[in-house]
Structure formats: C-alpha cells, structure tokens
Amino acid sequence: MPAATRRSGGRGGRGPALALAALRRLAGMATTLLVTSFLVFSSLYLAPGDPVSFLVKGRSPSPQELDTIREQYGFNDPFPVRYWHWLEGVLQGDFGRSYLFHQGVGDVVWSRLPASLLLIGVSMLLIAVFGVGAGIVGALRRGTWADSTVLLMVTVGAAVPSFVAAILLRSVFGVQLGWFPTFGNGEGALDRLHHVVLPAIALSVTFTALVTRVTRTAMLDELRREHVEVALSRGIPRRSVIRRHVLRNALGPIVTVSALLVSGMLVSTALVETAFGMAGVGSLLVQAVSQQDFQVVQAIVLLVVAAFVLINALVDLLYPLIDPRVAAQGSAR
Amino acid sequence: MALLDIDALSVTLPGMARPILDRIELTVAAGETVALVGESGSGKSVTARAALGLFPAGADLAGRVRVEDIDLVGADAARLREVRTGIAAMIFQDPRAGISPVRRIGDFLTEALRLVGGWSRARADARAAELLAAVGLPDPERHLRQFPHEMSGGMLQRVMIAAALCGEPRLLLCDEPTTALDVATQAEILALLGRLRRERDLGLLLITHDIELAAASCDRIYVMYAGRIVETATADELFARPRHPYTAGLLGSSPPQEGPLTRLAPIPGAPMSLLESATGCAFAPRCRFAEPGRCDQAPPVLEPHGAGRVACHRADELEPPVLAHLAPDSEDR
C-alpha cells in the first residue's frame, strides 16, 4: 500500500474529524437501539399467549373484567400507539411494571444486576487468563505435546455447551466432592465469590476455547513476520521479542474476537444462572419469558443489546491504540 | 584477520533432498565490500543470516561461522547477543515488513540499547536522533515519534540502517537492501551504505541478485547456485572474465550498464528446488557446456583458476573466450 494514502494527516484536521466520527458513532448506536427496541416490542406481541391470561391466572373473569384489565394495561390501543407509549417510558427510564413482581421493571432488573455482573466479570477474567495463556503456550510450543493438549482442549471445550458444563461441574465439584455450593447467590463478598466459581467456569469454557484458538493462530501469524526476525537479529532476547512484538501485535485479533464473544456470553448467562439457581438477570429472563412478563423481557433484551453495542463502540474507540494504522476515523471501519 | 569467516558451512533441513547450504566458504575483511550473488532460493539469505547465528529452525549444522573469532555454530544465547548487539548487524530487504507497525520509530531504534544495553530513555533517544541524522533523515526528533506507516519506504530503509548502526557494528550484512525501493531511492541508499563503510571502516556483505550492481559497487564477488559457491573473484576479474558458465549466464542475462542495449540471453531452465537433488554439478541441467560422463559426477569443488576460484568440472577447458560466446550477440541467438 502506498504510504501517502494511509497517512492520517498528522497536522490539522484531526480534532474536528474525531468529533465528527464520535458523533456519527453515537448516531449509529442510537439507531441500532431504536431498531432493536421496535423489533423486541413487536416480536413479543407476535408470540403465542396473552399477558391477560397470566394476569387473571387462577380465576375465571367475566368478559367485562377482562375488558377492564385490557383497558388498564392499554392492550386495546393500536400497536403503534402502544409502542410509542412504551418507548416514551423507556426514554425516561421507565420500563413499565412487572406483572410477575408487581414492581417497576427497572427495580427488578437492577436488583438482579450485581450477581450477573459478578458472574460475567469472573468469567471474563478466566477467559482472558486461560484463553490467552493457553493460546500462547500452544503457539510457542507448536507441534509438541503441550500444543497437542491445548488443541485437544480447544476442540472439546468449544464443543461443550455451557449448560452441559454446568450440569457436569455441579454434579462433580458441587454434589460429589462438595467443594462448592450448588445453588443460589450466597451472602457477603467471600461467600458470593465461592458461589460464583462453578457458574463462572461453566460460562467460560466455550469462550475460553475460542479465545485460545484465536490467540494461538494470531501468535503463529506474528511469529512468522519479518519484524520478529529483525528483532532477534538485533540481539533482543527471545522473551522480550515474544512479549513486545509477537503478543503485542497479536492483540488486535484477540481483542476483536473477545468483543464479539461478549454477546454470546450475555445470552449464556441465562442458562448458567438457571442451572445454578442464581438470582441474576439471565435467570430473570428465563423466568420472565416462561411467565410472559413482557415488560421485563423487553427491558432485558434491550439491556443486552445496549451492552453489546457499547462494548463494540469501546473496542472501536480503543483500536487505534492497539494498531495505530487504524486512524480514529469511524468511517474507516 | 577476516571479520567474517565462513568455513565449510553446511546447513541441512530434515526432509529436504539437498542441503540448503553446502560447504560454503566466504570471508569479509574490515573496510571491504563483498557481494554474494545468486538467484532466489540459492541460499544467499541463509548464508547472511548465518553470520548472525540465525539458522533455520531444526537444521543440522556443520562447519564454522566465525565473526571476530566467535564461532556462531552452537554458540550460546549470550555469545549470540554479544555478536548481534555489538559486532554484526543486518539490513533487511523490506523495511516495511521489518519494522513492527504498531510501535514508534524511536521505540524501534532504542529497543536494543534499552533492553540489552540498559540505557536510560533520554540517552537512548539522543543516540537514536544522532543515528537518524547520520543516515540523512532531516528531522530526527519528529521521526522518532512517528509510526512506520507515516514514512516512505526509502525513509524506513534509512531507519533500518540507523537501527543496524546502533551497536557500532564492524560488519554490516545487507540482504537485498534496495530491492523493495524505487530506482532513485536505491542509488541514495547504496551511496549511504558506501559512505558509512568508508567513515566507519565497516566490512560490508551485500546480498543481491543483480550481478551488475555487485560488479559496480563491490571489491569481491561470490556467486551462489543451489546452495554452493560456484565462483569467486574480484569484481573486475569476474565481470571481465567469468569462468563458471552460470556466472557467464548471469552476466549475459542482465542489461549492460553502458553501451547500446542488446538482446538479453536468459539462462534456460529453472533453479533447482530444495526437493530436487543432483548427483553431479547442480547447474549441469541448465548448462550448455555440460558434458555427459563428467558433469554428472560428484559435484565440483571450488578450485583456484586464474585470478579467482571456480567450482566447475570443465574449468580447465572453458577459458573465458569460450564463455564469451554466451554473450548476447553470439551467432546462435
């Protein structure tokens, strides 16, 4: 590639360009969320079942009573009107009321958030440490028994769904060995951590395998590059070359893939939290879906999409630090 | 005493039909410019890398490579580092591939000084700026803060040369230093290398496939074919009276630097791959002087002939006038 066309314009014009890129980025995020909100809202109304039947569960109401409920919850309004009312509320931070908990949806989700964040946080740590670690070992010991072990674990790990891992871990380390609790969130910091160990492992197995594979491949790619040979030819110790050149330059693909995995992780929390009886946002989603608590489902799906969009925006924002060739001009990516 | 003394160096990779290098002999003295000429895959680059103790992974080595009396075959990491940081340095073909794209030029230049030499940042930066000025870059302070993609290929090759000069080497290995550059820049880089050699009394090993360039800028020339040195002589001698048919072929197939442009005479056939082996002279299948019964005998060894040394079974009979018939204007072309 000719150097001139890639030059990012070191002098003037960078500030406004950056601001414009940020604005464009924000507009894009807002559009994504808007479209998602519409899809989420409409798809739930297409789903079988009627929220009214849940609200009157256990009783057989008269048609008049049913009508009153429908009127009260606005079920009689035309679809666009209902969507607009809901959107208005959401924009003001009001996600409606949960039929199931008789509380504001915001409060219900909010109270479950810390447990899920802890689970996701610990899982990400495990994925980063073991995924990247195993990938490095595989790449540096390529073709040895260590590499074969890593590859075998990657194949197995990628093939094990998180709920299967959850069941296995529970029965072995929870029930048979009794090392870890098998149910609930726990009380107090240490107990909570103790409770989150098995769920976090279950959640991270598949993603660790994927990160390992990406790390190994990216490292092997970088090891073949000429700048690595140049660094070695200059007498820089191999260990430093691995750290400063190979791993550093392999960071781009690793970070990109990790950001993409986050969405999958958020969805998998539903299975893992349910399997371990944890009261988190994921298990709340399962509960809300099965009980047709639409307002809660909508709020959680929107939250997940928002988290995904935010993380991707963050990665894009940080990417120029990882690879300076990618100028911070949103349009380029 | 020779700065670089390669003696009967053989490099063999398992699974290959013939050695990558076969009993290479080559010396470079201080202040001398020596060229190593050959086609792609002839082993020129492997030979140059051997002078830094960079051998292909998993290769079997025989013979000696001495740089200022340090034997690099089987040398430990500390010895290799001593040579690479203080005695010999290499300039690579493609500076854009040879400099990590994610680090600043200053970082690249000072890496060895700071990591191996333990220099302070300020001292290393000052030294790097000094070196950039020495290789003719006008604004060293600014270049130190630039990323590789913000500089042109010619500028980057100067950076590469500056990096090579970091440890005050006495031997400079240049692996096709101008191949990736445009013609005007090529001349500048060659002039720069010549100036540095004179100023610092460097021994220069220039690796090139361009025999005209070698003849014009070097004191002595080694010609390589299929992992062997087939001829060596002073540049003038080799250019005026090539004794090996391959050398003559190379001269006949490159455009003359002076006089009218005549038709070029390509060497028929293709170079031997590492998967092919020959029982006799490796060049025999492409040689118009090959004689059945002689040239398919054990490969010829480098023997004194005239003012140089040649490895050819028929060196006695093929006097320079015979080879002159290879010249472009001979009657049968």
Side-chain angles (χ1 to χ4, degrees):
Chain A
M1 242 178 288
T5 60
R6 291 206 322 211
R7 237 168 256 181
S8 55
R11 294 164 292 277
R14 186 132 186 193
L18 253 176
L20 195 71
L23 266 179
R24 198 179 295 162
R25 184 86 220 178
L26 276 175
M29 286 165 67
T31 311
T32 308
L33 285 173
L34 193 69
V35 171
T36 314
S37 75
F38 181 77
L39 289 177
V40 166
F41 191 82
S42 48
S43 66
L44 282 173
Y45 277 84
L46 292 175
D50 182 349
V52 180
S53 63
F54 172 75
L55 286 169
V56 299
K57 201 189 282 179
R59 294 175 292 143
S60 15
S62 65
Q64 284 86 353
E65 262 183 292
L66 268 179
D67 234 32
T68 320
I69 294 170
R70 284 175 180 281
E71 196 62 47
Q72 197 182 333
Y73 280 88
F75 291 146
N76 284 337
D77 294 336
F79 176 79
V81 175
R82 289 191 318 216
Y83 173 61
W84 179 249
H85 281 314
W86 176 72
L87 193 64
E88 236 176 5
V90 167
L91 287 176
Q92 291 162 23
D94 175 14
F95 287 85
R97 279 184 74 79
S98 160
Y99 314 142
L100 193 56
F101 297 95
H102 305 291
Q103 277 182 53
V105 169
D107 296 334
V108 175
V109 174
W110 189 252
S111 67
R112 306 282 199 108
L113 206 54
S116 292
L117 286 182
L118 181 67
L119 171 63
I120 291 168
V122 174
S123 300
M124 280 164 111
L125 198 70
L126 292 177
I127 294 169
V129 171
F130 290 102
V132 175
I136 293 173
V137 170
L140 296 185
R141 300 266 176 278
R142 188 182 189 190
T144 63
W145 64 267
D147 186 29
S148 309
T149 313
V150 166
L151 284 178
L152 182 74
M153 275 160 55
V154 163
T155 310
V156 174
V160 174
S162 53
F163 67 90
V164 173
I167 293 167
L168 278 174
L169 287 168
R170 257 190 75 162
S171 71
V172 175
F173 296 100
V175 179
Q176 287 175 19
L177 294 171
W179 291 352
F180 295 97
T182 57
F183 192 85
N185 290 10
E187 297 289 332
L190 227 74
D191 195 34
R192 275 173 190 274
L193 263 182
H194 195 204
H195 273 78
V196 94
V197 172
L198 289 185
I201 295 174
L203 184 58
S204 53
V205 167
T206 308
F207 304 104
T208 304
L210 295 175
V211 169
T212 301
R213 175 160 287 169
V214 170
T215 304
R216 182 177 174 277
T217 311
M219 292 267 298
L220 285 176
D221 275 354
E222 286 301 326
L223 275 169
R224 275 192 286 270
R225 306 246 173 211
E226 196 169 298
H227 67 81
V228 172
E229 193 189 15
V230 170
L232 286 173
S233 83
R234 299 177 66 203
I236 293 161
R238 189 176 147 81
R239 183 175 285 270
S240 304
V241 173
I242 299 289
R243 185 169 48 82
R244 292 172 52 89
H245 293 277
V246 180
L247 188 57
R248 169 67 184 79
N249 293 43
L251 222 54
I254 297 174
V255 169
T256 306
V257 167
S258 303
L260 288 174
L261 292 182
V262 168
S263 63
M265 251 179 92
L266 294 176
V267 173
S268 294
T269 53
L271 302 166
V272 171
E273 284 178 2
T274 305
F276 283 94
M278 288 179 77
V281 176
S283 56
L284 179 64
L285 179 65
V286 174
Q287 210 179 346
V289 167
S290 64
Q291 309 276 16
Q292 297 174 353
D293 194 350
F294 289 173
Q295 310 282 354
V296 172
V297 175
Q298 285 163 350
I300 294 177
V301 172
L302 217 53
L303 184 73
V304 169
V305 174
F308 184 61
V309 168
L310 211 69
I311 286 166
N312 274 285
L314 206 68
V315 168
D316 277 2
L317 207 68
L318 291 178
Y319 210 86
L321 288 182
I322 295 171
D323 189 343
R325 284 169 299 180
V326 181
Q329 288 167 358
S331 54
R333 276 170 57 83
Chain B
M1 185 204 72
L3 203 53
L4 170 66
D5 184 358
I6 299 181
D7 186 15
L9 176 70
S10 293
V11 174
T12 314
L13 268 185
M16 295 297 168
R18 63 172 173 89
I20 301 178
L21 298 184
D22 192 1
R23 287 159 292 167
I24 296 291
E25 284 174 42
L26 185 150
T27 60
V28 179
E32 190 185 30
T33 309
V34 174
L36 183 56
V37 181
E39 287 165 308
S40 310
S42 59
K44 326 183 281 284
S45 291
V46 181
T47 306
R49 280 160 175 71
L52 284 170
L54 286 168
F55 299 104
D60 290 326
L61 310 176
R64 272 196 303 269
V65 179
R66 269 182 301 205
V67 175
E68 287 204 336
D69 269 349
I70 300 177
D71 193 348
L72 298 181
V73 177
D76 60 17
R79 278 271 135 138
L80 289 177
R81 204 171 305 143
E82 185 188 335
V83 170
R84 292 174 188 172
T85 53
I87 304 176
M90 183 134 155
I91 294 159
F92 291 78
Q93 179 176 342
D94 183 358
R96 210 170 280 293
I99 301 176
S100 170
V102 306
R103 288 184 185 277
R104 290 177 200 277
I105 298 299
D107 211 35
F108 171 71
L109 284 170
T110 57
E111 194 173 22
L113 293 176
R114 297 189 59 200
L115 282 179
V116 184
W119 288 33
S120 74
R121 169 156 212 140
R123 187 170 165 227
D125 278 356
R127 171 88 176 120
E130 204 181 292
L131 287 169
L132 285 182
V135 297
L137 286 173
D139 192 354
E141 305 294 339
R142 186 168 68 90
H143 293 313
L144 285 182
R145 291 190 305 274
Q146 280 183 312
F147 283 105
H149 69 271
E150 294 169 330
M151 299 178 85
S152 70
M155 288 164 104
L156 281 182
Q157 193 58 296
R158 287 172 191 268
V159 169
M160 191 72 111
I161 295 172
L165 296 177
C166 251
E168 300 279 344
R170 292 179 281 284
L171 173 66
L172 208 52
L173 309 153
C174 309
D175 189 0
E176 308 220 17
T178 59
T179 306
L181 307 174
D182 64 73
V183 180
T185 317
Q186 283 183 9
E188 287 173 23
I189 294 292
L190 285 174
L192 170 64
L193 288 172
R195 176 167 65 79
L196 292 170
R197 180 190 61 77
R198 282 192 306 277
E199 285 173 4
R200 296 163 189 248
D201 197 30
L202 298 172
L204 212 65
L205 179 63
L206 178 69
I207 291 156
T208 177
H209 57 252
D210 185 347
I211 195 166
E212 297 278 342
L213 174 86
S217 54
C218 297
D219 303 321
R220 288 188 297 123
I221 298 180
Y222 289 87
V223 180
M224 259 189 113
Y225 187 79
R228 291 193 190 113
I229 303 276
V230 294
E231 180 166 9
T232 174
T234 62
D236 295 341
E237 174 70 17
L238 193 95
F239 194 69
R241 283 175 291 278
R243 280 165 189 275
H244 195 285
Y246 177 62
T247 315
L250 275 183
L251 284 167
S253 60
S254 54
Q257 291 198 318
E258 288 163 11
L261 193 64
T262 49
R263 262 182 77 189
L264 302 179
I267 303 173
M272 202 166 66
S273 89
L274 275 175
L275 299 171
E276 298 169 81
S277 71
T279 46
C281 172
F283 186 61
R286 301 173 71 187
C287 181
R288 56 185 299 215
F289 301 102
E291 199 180 74
R294 266 178 79 189
C295 293
D296 45 20
Q297 301 292 310
V301 290
L302 213 51
E303 283 174 335
H305 266 280
R309 290 192 297 158
V310 191
C312 176
H313 283 302
R314 300 192 62 195
D316 286 333
E317 307 148 47
L318 299 177
E319 284 306 314
V322 180
L323 291 169
H325 286 293
L326 267 177
D329 284 331
S330 64
E331 62 278 19
D332 59 341
R333 297 223 174 228

